[in-house]
Amino acid sequence: MNTRHKWVASRALAPAVALLTLTACTSNTPEEATGVSVDIAADSCALSASSAPAGPVVFTVENTGDAVAEFYVYASDGTKIVAEVENVGPGLSRDLAVTLDAGTYVTSCDAGMNGDDIRADFVATAAGATPAP
């Protein structure tokens, strides 16, 4: 390949390389996501809200207990797992990003990962509805 062809080839690849570089630096968490904090302790599970608008939701799960914990979002039947974050160590937090359709879900905190979980309903409200605090 002569010098001119190398120059043309490198100029043609520059936009693709730039796009890949920008893509690698972007967050996997949508900016328009609703944030809900979750505090898991040995005998409690506190969510900052019991509902959010349908669409992208980021649950920030913080383990304030002394045992490894898990957090689940189940379908309304309480058995089908929609999203989960496992192995959140004591004193740590992890984000769980999920897109929820309008409807009712069940959240579950399991401190100690022993199956003795604390559950609560969580509602993804339809467009135009007002979410509960």
Side-chain angles (χ1 to χ4, degrees), residues 22-37:
L22 289 173
T23 302
C25 295
T26 61
S27 169
N28 289 331
T29 303
E31 288 183 25
E32 69 278 358
T34 300
V36 176
S37 62

Side-chain angles (χ1 to χ4, degrees), residues 34-119:
T34 300
V36 176
S37 62
V38 180
D39 183 348
I40 302 176
D43 57 357
S44 66
C45 177
L47 278 72
S48 64
S50 60
S51 67
V57 178
V58 176
F59 293 94
T60 299
V61 180
E62 183 175 0
N63 181 353
T64 58
D66 57 2
V68 175
E70 301 175 326
F71 177 74
Y72 294 88
V73 177
Y74 290 98
S76 61
D77 67 2
T79 60
K80 179 183 174 195
I81 297 171
V82 174
E84 65 185 300
V85 62
E86 297 179 314
N87 299 315
V88 181
L92 300 177
S93 67
R94 292 186 46 200
D95 286 346
L96 174 61
V98 61
T99 300
L100 299 177
D101 293 331
T104 301
Y105 297 85
V106 177
T107 60
S108 166
C109 295
D110 189 357
M113 298 182 354
N114 56 13
D116 189 20
D117 60 339
I118 299 171
R119 293 182 175 221

